Amino acid sequence: MTPFGQGPSSTERLVLPGVLTADEAARTVAGIAAVQRSDGAIPWFRGHHLDPWDHVEAAMALDAAGEHARAEAAYRWLADHQNPDGSWYAAYADGDADDPTDRSRETNFVAYVAVGVWHHYLSTGDDAFLDRMWPTVFAAVEFVLRLQQPGGQIGWKREAEEDGGRDVTDALLTGSSSIHQALRCALAIAEHREEPQPDWELAVGLLGHAIRHHPERFLDKSRYSMDWYYPVLGGAVTGAAAKERIEARWDDFVVPGLGVRCVVPNPWVTGGESCELALALWAMGESDRAVEILQWIQHLRAENGLYWTGYVFEDEAVWPEELTTWTAGSLLLAAAALGGHDATATVFGGDRLPAGLEPDCTCGGPART
């Protein structure tokens, strides 16, 4: 394994015509690495906050580029700073574990560690790493499932203690869809370790059923593009249903030549949403459209290899003026999937992840206590 902070990245599978050359991919990887702190934390950019979900997204991009030591350091940061209940706080100032700026605990943020850990193992084959991270993943999943509701959906956060520490049982479709992917990765880890988790299998089945068949169980955020494509990206909606879902609102969210709107009707395309849609399209078998989306958003690329968060096309203005590690990370992961990087294809393609157990009825099951 390359020592932390040393050695070249492996960017061959990140090359895509019109999207990235090998040199451009290496510069993007270097841009993420430059933001990473010496303790492994990856904030949005230096001076801004770290949230656990985007921290993992950036770490996975480092793994896709062969920067395994850096990625492992990012996961070690999570293991070292996990709360006793299995969670992490929603935000830490510049990745400083001693300076949380949002002490709520969001379930999709907490769950995503399972995706990253399984991705790192598939990238490296490092069983010792998986052994070290298993208690962290287990505790995170147990925290998340304590907020699962009888209908299968996952309550979106636990409030900060100073705000009462209440479990918020309202569910977000995007967050629950991300958790669906994370739980399947957690099950894959458990199966690899020969430690079956039947409760998790039931939880995944209930959650997937809710996402596919019960939109009324989630808060209405249909103005946001993530609620449109995340059920596909998270692996809950597949096949003909996935294609039908994407086609139904394509014209609402996709701005040809520029990318994907974050929210309608705002004239604002964002790099992260565009890259995630590309990943969803790739998972559906529509690689050509996925590559086209990634080509469109090269107008967001900066000289240092990172990507601006978004662009307001009515004003021809970059906004906000920030170059985020997670936007660059999502671009690299989409390129990696399209380029055949096996670990990335596995965690986002979903066909090699456990599916969980579909409930026998639509009545749901008991919430955890």
Side-chain angles (χ1 to χ4, degrees):
M1 183 180 293
T2 304
F4 177 61
Q6 301 178 25
S9 298
S10 175
T11 56
E12 293 85 356
R13 288 188 174 173
L14 301 178
V15 174
L16 280 178
V19 179
L20 289 174
T21 65
D23 287 345
E24 287 170 340
R27 181 169 292 189
T28 300
V29 175
I32 296 173
V35 175
Q36 187 175 28
R37 291 162 45 116
S38 60
D39 63 358
I42 310 176
W44 286 22
F45 50 88
R46 293 312 303 267
H48 199 58
H49 74 254
L50 173 153
D51 74 71
W53 196 102
D54 289 309
H55 169 84
V56 169
E57 187 87 340
M60 286 197 290
L62 291 172
D63 260 329
E67 289 279 0
H68 302 312
R70 285 188 171 276
E72 182 173 351
Y75 297 119
R76 187 167 60 247
W77 187 92
L78 290 172
D80 289 345
H81 302 298
Q82 190 173 31
N83 292 322
D85 64 2
S87 71
W88 292 274
Y89 296 125
Y92 301 82
D94 198 34
D96 184 350
D98 294 326
D99 190 13
T101 54
D102 182 346
R103 291 179 178 268
S104 65
R105 287 152 284 180
E106 297 191 19
T107 48
N108 70 304
F109 285 9
V110 174
Y112 207 51
V113 65
V115 182
V117 166
W118 188 232
H119 183 263
H120 182 79
Y121 172 74
L122 294 173
S123 298
T124 63
D126 187 347
D127 279 298
F129 166 82
L130 207 60
D131 289 342
R132 290 192 301 271
M133 291 301 299
W134 171 243
T136 300
V137 171
F138 185 91
V141 170
E142 289 294 299
F143 171 84
V144 169
L145 292 185
R146 283 193 288 272
L147 275 79
Q148 186 167 35
Q149 304 305 302
Q153 71 276 24
I154 309 288
W156 77 279
K157 71 175 181 176
R158 178 170 292 167
E159 290 180 339
E161 293 298 332
E162 57 266 30
D163 296 326
R166 180 180 67 91
D167 287 348
V168 178
T169 57
D170 291 333
L172 301 173
L173 181 59
T174 294
S176 285
S177 297
S178 177
I179 291 168
H180 182 268
Q181 178 193 20
L183 292 178
R184 294 179 70 197
C185 288
L187 278 172
I189 298 170
E191 288 186 4
H192 179 78
R193 294 177 52 82
E194 299 182 348
E195 296 189 32
Q197 302 295 326
D199 286 352
W200 296 3
E201 293 184 67
L202 291 169
V204 173
L206 283 169
L207 178 57
H209 181 86
I211 292 168
R212 286 186 292 273
H213 302 296
H214 291 283
E216 76 281 358
R217 294 178 184 172
F218 301 91
L219 295 175
D220 182 7
K221 301 290 182 180
S222 57
R223 293 175 60 237
Y224 292 84
S225 60
M226 287 194 295
D227 262 29
W228 165 52
Y229 63 75
Y230 243 94
V232 178
L233 182 60
V237 178
T238 60
K243 293 189 177 186
E244 181 180 351
R245 183 179 186 91
I246 294 302
E247 294 302 330
R249 301 204 65 190
W250 182 270
D251 292 338
D252 293 338
F253 291 113
V254 175
V255 183
L258 291 178
V260 177
R261 294 177 193 257
C262 177
V263 57
V264 293
N266 298 2
W268 181 43
V269 295
T270 48
E273 278 79 355
S274 299
C275 295
E276 288 178 339
L277 176 62
L279 269 170
L281 290 168
W282 166 82
M284 292 163 49
E286 298 194 17
S287 294
D288 289 346
R289 280 211 288 184
V291 172
E292 186 176 37
I293 294 283
L294 298 180
Q295 290 171 338
W296 289 347
I297 64 165
Q298 294 314 303
H299 67 96
L300 296 174
R301 185 177 176 89
E303 289 185 3
N304 66 355
L306 295 177
Y307 287 76
W308 299 107
T309 298
Y311 175 74
V312 182
F313 50 86
E314 281 190 355
D315 299 331
E316 298 184 354
V318 167
W319 184 84
E321 292 189 8
E322 56 186 34
L323 296 164
T324 45
T325 52
W326 49 268
T327 300
S330 65
L331 185 283
L332 292 176
L333 288 171
L338 284 155
H341 183 256
D342 187 65
T344 306
T346 296
V347 300
F348 288 103
D351 56 341
R352 286 177 281 175
L353 294 177
L357 299 175
E358 182 79 11
D360 292 331
C361 65
T362 59
C363 57
R368 285 199 172 198
T369 57

